[in-house]
Structures are given as structure tokens and as C-alpha cells.
Amino acid sequence: MTLKSMGAKQTVLVVDDEHMSDLMRSVFRRLESEGFNPIAVVPEGPRLTGDDYETHTLFAIENESPVAVLLDVRFGEYDTDRFKGLSILKKIIERDNSMPVLMFTQYARGPYRDTAVTGSLSVGASVDFIDKLASPEEVVLRLRRLIGSAPKTIKIGTLFELEPENAVVYAVNNGRHQIIREIQGMKLAILNELASAMYRSEGEVVPFSRLERFSDGEDSRASLRVRIRELKVSLGKAVARDFGATELIINVRNRGYRLVPPTD
Amino acid sequence: MSERIFSTLKYAGLSLAVLGLGLILLSPLIGEIVTPDMLWWIEPVAYIGSGFFIFGTIVGYMSFKFNRNSQVGRSDGRTWSQVTQDYFDTFAHDMGRPLRRILGKQREARALLNETGEVTHRMVAELLDEIENQAPNFRLMIENVRVLVDLEDQSSTPAVEPVDSAAIVRNVSDRYSPIARERGIDLIWWCEPSEFGLVYGDGSALDHVVTNLVDNATKFAAHQIEIQLTREDKFYSVRVSDDGPGIADSYLAHVFDRGWTPELSARSEKQSSGLGLFIASTLAERCGGDLIVDTYQSNDDKNKNAYTRFTLSLPVDNRS
């Protein structure tokens, strides 16, 4: 039995003058449940302008060292601040063009997005746009991809956790983590590939061609099938479950495999 | 396009007016040269010249005026198209405000119910689901109107930029996965080759077409929606398939018609505006590609093996 220590949470800076709205509260909640530490930029004063947000954002980036910034386009009540978010974006990129910025806007497409994209792409910045009506789930997925680096831990439902860096898979039971030692080498590589795809996008199927790199023998497809079966058996044994054909790792006919988080 | 036509007309009108003026001035001379003894030649030449002058002046003036109106929206020199987009963005933002408030309340209520574990009435649960599910509908509707405004603008052309098609398909899949799951539909996607690479085209248009196709599929799928991105030498394709009941032959001819929805024939409540597939098809053609539909309706009661498959084909590189 090995107990797992939880790493420090990654900070995400949220810059939005409506950060106290119900809509934004649901985003905060989701970010927290996904292991992020969301911090809102809150300038103080009676009549705040976009410039106040700009100053405080740049200051917070220096002090909080966030992994990403969630930034609104519109600020304040003044017409001059209608697109202040774009000018804050420009300032952030000028200082650190590797900082991932997810723009929260009504203009997920259209001329203003195009202007901002053109401006940010020219310096190779990591910028994406998302509609403010997007579900918190979608926000987290987009943020993850924007941050890009593989997470320390990928949760596979509530039953398993994978640590790609340490090459370890855990079975989780009542908060206790037990290493599944049977899963190593090619089986671990296959699970890592499937879990990474699931982490990036819920519905992504990993094509056979990508997984067959981790199988051997003359018939690589058959060999892959065997490894997947072994993988399911090992995972099932660790949680006293028998995963059927339509559970955990699903064969999508003629295409590839897909990891589906198991239910309790 | 319209700018070029107005410009040509302007110069043609001006040339005609100058020619007319020349004819008027030279008519006594021309008349004398052509028929020295018959001065009546002067009059027809002068009349023709006057006609040319008046007609040319009118055409030139009108072309100049129309061209200016279509070009300059305000004193800051922005085009009408830019002004329209600007107003539309403001309008879309303001119109989204009430929905953002409703959606926020709904998400807070859902979170509260999850925390307390309180059992809610079926109708309350359905209401919360309905509000969440209508949000992408609203987003798409706003975008459809914005794209329609853009399509009506004759001077607007598709963008040519590096596009990560796989990322766009992934984003659309992420947007619709929760809704599909809520309806008991499995939404999956893949691309071949798995490292798809960049293409050159209009990313917004691709996003918009795929969104419309997936939105459409979530309304009709029974259990599964598949989005497949494949690449060939000069074209790449996005195929959106669903295992819904298929489209009847009598409907198939109207699928891409503006404003047409299947409910129109069934005389039932409309689920959509009937703009999505029209816009998708128009955008595909505008970007140098096409959108086709392939469907099968099963004869048995359970609609086994029935499907609808929309295939969007676009050039890998439309820079040329």
C-alpha cells in the first residue's frame, strides 16, 4: 500500500469584472474541482475602469505565477473599455508570450477575434477564445489544452489515477491510493495514450495506428487486442470489477480504442 | 466585387460624358467636314453628344454615389460591413446578457442540489436540463445570423489562414459532448492521420459548418454521433454521421433550403430556424468545397441500420 501525496494546485488567474456573477461562480467551482486554484483579479475603488484591471492583472501575473489567464474582453461601464481585454492581452503577451490566455467573450468568432488572433499569433502566443455561454466543462477542457503540458495526475473516473511522469497507475478506494504493479511497459504506454486523449477531449478515439506502436508480433492488431484485454483485467482486478466490452476501454469498430471513465 | 462594378461604371459614365461634350463642341466642325453644304448635320451630332453627356453624367454620378455609400459607413472611414458587424456584435452581447443570467442561476441551482443531495421533482430537473441544452442553440443562432450578415456582404471573402482542423473538430466535440450525453447519445471523433497537421483556409467557416452539422445530428441521433476527419492529397473531409431515423426522399431535396425544417412538413413545433444547413452548404461552396448528404431509412419499426451522413469537403490549401 502506497499513499500518494497531492501536489500543489496550479493557479489560474481570472480577469473579469463580472467574476461574482452566477455564471462565473460555476466556472470557479469547476476549476477547483478539477484541481486548479482560480484567483480573481479584484481592483478596489468606486468607479473602476479597464486600466485598473490592466494594472492589477499585470501585477497579479508577477506575484501569483499563474499557469494560465482567463480574460474577459469587455470591462467596466465605459464605452472606451469595450475591448479593453484585447489591450490587456497585448500587454500580457508583450511581457510573456508563453503565457496561455483563454479569452472569455461573446465574440468567439468574428472580426474582433480575428484582429486579436492576428495580433497574438504574430508573436507565437498561446491564445484561444471561448464563448461566455460555454459550459464550465468546456472551459476546463480548453484551458487544459491551452496549458498543453501533461498533468501530473490524470483521473480516470473516481476509481483510477494515472501519473504519466512517474509511470504509475493507482486504484483509488475511499481516498486511499494503491499502485497497480501489473501495469507497466507497453500496457502502461497504451493506457497513457488512451488517458491523455480522454484528458484532452472526452470523445476522442485513439486510432489503431497510434496504439499499434506499443504492441509487437507479426499481427500487431491482434497483439494490441490481447494487451487491451490484459489491461482491462488488471484494472478490474484492482477494484474487484469485471469490465465488459462496452466499459472502460471500448473498441470503436474499425477505428481504434477509447477510454471511458468507469462509474462507481 | 460591387466596388469594382461601380468603379467601372463611374469611369465609363465619365468617359461617355466627356465624349458627349466633345461631340457638342465639335458638332459645327464635324457637320461642315462631313457635308460642307449641308449644315443640318450639326444638329444630330449635337443631339447625340448631348445624349452621351447627360447619360454619362448620370451614370457616373450615380455610380460614384452608390460606391461611396457602400464603402464609407461613417466619418471614420469604416465600411458599412464593418459598421454592421460592429452593431451586430454589440447587439449579440446585449442579447446574451439575460441568457447568461438565466444560465448562471441554473448552474448555481444545479450545484446546490448536488451538494445537498436533495431529490427534486422531475419537472425541475427537466427545466434545468432544458436551460443548459438551449445555451448552445442560442450561441449557434447568434452565430448563424452573424454569418448570414457576412454572406450578404458581396465584398466579403473567405479568410485564408493556417487552420488546425483537428483542434476545431475537438472543440465542437467538447461543446456538444455534455448535451449528447444528457440525451443518451455517445459523441465520438477521430482523425486520420492522427497527426493531422495544418491546412490553409477559413477556420471560422470550418468551425461554423461543423457546429451546424453536429448540432443537427444531436437532434436526430438515436445512440451515436461520429465525427471523422480525414485528409487526402488536395482535399480534406469532415464527415458527421448519426444513427437517427434518416431523411425521407421527399425531404432530401429541401435539406439545404433556407428556412426549411422537417417540422414544416410534419406541422409540428419547429426545433430550429432552418438556417443551419443552408448556411453550412453556402459556406462550404464559398470556401471552394462542398457539402453532401447521404442517408438511409430502414423499413423496419426499429429503424435498424438507418443513418444520415453529411460530408464536408474542403481544399487543403486555398491560398492559390
Side-chain angles (χ1 to χ4, degrees), chain A residues 30-77:
Chain A
R30 185 76 192 196
L31 286 170
E32 279 165 3
S33 73
E34 292 289 335
F36 291 105
N37 173 34
I39 295 179
V41 170
V42 192
E44 287 174 4
R47 290 183 76 81
L48 295 170
T49 65
D51 287 340
D52 298 317
Y53 280 93
E54 184 176 298
T55 314
H56 280 74
T57 301
L58 298 175
F59 183 75
I61 289 175
E62 294 284 324
N63 282 278
E64 305 291 347
S65 307
V67 289
V69 179
L70 256 175
L71 175 64
D72 195 14
V73 168
R74 280 182 177 243
F75 279 91
E77 53 201 270

Side-chain angles (χ1 to χ4, degrees), chain A residues 13-219:
Chain A
L13 210 60
V14 182
V15 191
D16 185 349
D17 56 348
E18 292 177 349
H19 68 275
M20 287 302 289
S21 66
D22 289 330
L23 200 66
M24 286 308 293
R25 268 212 293 272
S26 62
V27 172
F28 270 76
R29 193 178 292 112
R30 185 76 192 196
L31 286 170
E32 279 165 3
S33 73
E34 292 289 335
F36 291 105
N37 173 34
I39 295 179
V41 170
V42 192
E44 287 174 4
R47 290 183 76 81
L48 295 170
T49 65
D51 287 340
D52 298 317
Y53 280 93
E54 184 176 298
T55 314
H56 280 74
T57 301
L58 298 175
F59 183 75
I61 289 175
E62 294 284 324
N63 282 278
E64 305 291 347
S65 307
V67 289
V69 179
L70 256 175
L71 175 64
D72 195 14
V73 168
R74 280 182 177 243
F75 279 91
E77 53 201 270
Y78 304 105
D79 197 44
T80 47
D81 285 338
R82 262 179 75 199
F83 304 112
K84 186 67 188 176
L86 297 180
S87 97
I88 298 177
L89 169 70
K90 200 164 169 242
K91 288 270 168 61
I92 294 172
I93 290 168
E94 274 170 10
R95 288 171 178 228
D96 177 8
N97 72 358
S98 66
M99 175 63 72
V101 183
L102 184 59
M103 299 290 292
F104 239 152
T105 173
Q106 185 70 40
Y107 318 107
R109 289 183 281 271
Y112 297 107
R113 185 210 74 137
D114 296 343
T115 309
V117 167
T118 312
S120 56
L121 280 182
S122 60
V123 285
S126 185
V127 178
D128 200 0
F129 289 76
I130 191 162
D131 195 310
K132 215 162 186 183
L133 296 173
S135 67
E137 213 170 336
E138 196 184 336
V139 174
V140 169
L141 284 171
R142 293 281 281 275
L143 202 58
R144 279 176 181 174
R145 287 206 290 276
L146 204 56
I147 294 169
S149 57
K152 285 194 173 126
T153 305
I154 301 177
K155 289 183 181 177
I156 306 169
T158 52
L159 296 181
F160 306 105
E161 283 185 19
L162 171 69
E163 287 186 354
E165 265 180 38
N166 301 329
V168 177
V169 190
Y170 295 95
V172 184
N173 186 14
N174 288 329
R176 298 182 75 81
H177 294 66
Q178 185 179 5
I179 292 181
I180 309 175
R181 296 189 192 281
E182 282 177 49
I183 301 176
Q184 287 176 5
M186 287 190 183
K187 277 194 279 184
L188 185 69
I190 290 170
L191 183 62
N192 194 16
E193 196 73 36
L194 290 167
S196 301
M198 183 200 72
Y199 180 80
R200 286 194 303 264
S201 179
E202 185 187 321
E204 187 171 348
V205 175
V206 184
F208 291 129
S209 57
R210 203 173 173 89
L211 294 171
E212 280 166 10
R213 295 179 297 167
F214 309 113
S215 57
D216 43 20
E218 278 183 19
D219 187 348

Side-chain angles (χ1 to χ4, degrees), chain B residues 38-52:
Chain B
M38 299 169 67
L39 280 178
W40 62 265
W41 254 97
I42 297 168
E43 279 186 23
V45 174
Y47 290 151
I48 292 168
S50 305
F52 279 7

Side-chain angles (χ1 to χ4, degrees), chain B residues 62-286:
Chain B
M62 295 299 279
S63 306
F64 174 74
K65 197 174 171 189
F66 279 123
N67 195 23
R68 193 160 180 267
N69 280 347
S70 66
Q71 282 290 302
V72 182
R74 292 185 348 187
S75 53
D76 58 9
R78 286 181 302 158
T79 64
W80 271 117
S81 152
Q82 284 168 322
V83 174
T84 311
Q85 287 287 0
D86 190 4
Y87 278 126
F88 183 75
D89 281 339
T90 308
F91 162 73
H93 182 270
D94 290 347
M95 208 160 79
R97 196 183 298 277
L99 186 67
R100 287 198 294 276
R101 289 182 70 90
I102 294 168
L103 206 54
K105 286 275 175 241
Q106 177 269 137
R107 285 175 187 167
E108 280 297 291
R110 196 189 285 266
L112 192 71
L113 290 171
N114 285 343
E115 267 173 30
T116 57
E118 208 174 303
V119 180
T120 52
H121 193 279
R122 183 181 57 85
M123 285 301 289
V124 176
E126 279 181 11
L127 175 67
L128 296 180
D129 287 347
E130 188 64 15
I131 293 171
E132 189 67 48
N133 292 346
Q134 287 302 328
N137 254 348
F138 179 85
R139 290 163 73 182
L140 186 60
M141 195 174 70
I142 291 285
E143 272 304 303
N144 274 342
V145 177
R146 191 187 65 74
V147 173
L148 266 184
V149 170
D150 192 46
L151 285 175
E152 294 289 343
D153 178 5
Q154 297 295 313
S155 65
S156 171
T157 51
V160 181
E161 58 192 359
V163 174
D164 185 348
S165 314
I168 288 175
V169 169
R170 185 182 284 134
N171 288 347
V172 177
S173 165
D174 290 348
R175 202 174 308 153
Y176 281 91
S177 282
I179 299 163
R181 202 188 315 122
E182 197 76 46
R183 295 178 186 174
I185 301 165
D186 206 15
L187 197 164
I188 58 173
W189 74 275
W190 67 91
C191 59
E192 286 276 6
S194 54
E195 300 296 335
F196 199 79
L198 295 177
V199 295
Y200 281 87
D202 189 329
S204 286
L206 174 65
D207 187 319
H208 197 67
V209 174
V210 179
T211 302
N212 268 303
L213 297 180
V214 175
D215 183 80
N216 194 58
T218 53
K219 292 188 180 100
F220 300 104
H223 306 290
Q224 193 166 62
I225 297 169
E226 294 181 1
I227 315 172
Q228 180 184 358
L229 179 64
T230 53
R231 183 174 186 149
E232 282 167 31
D233 189 24
K234 293 194 170 160
F235 280 82
Y236 70 100
S237 305
V238 185
R239 179 174 290 176
V240 179
S241 320
D242 70 70
D243 60 352
I247 306 170
D249 286 345
S250 53
Y251 291 2
L252 207 53
H254 302 289
V255 157
F256 297 117
D257 287 357
R258 184 175 181 159
W260 190 88
T261 68
E263 298 87 1
L264 280 180
S265 304
R267 294 178 187 278
S268 52
E269 187 186 1
K270 278 179 83 172
Q271 302 286 318
S272 61
S273 61
L275 289 175
L277 291 177
F278 162 75
I279 290 175
S281 159
T282 311
L283 270 180
E285 283 175 23
R286 193 189 191 215

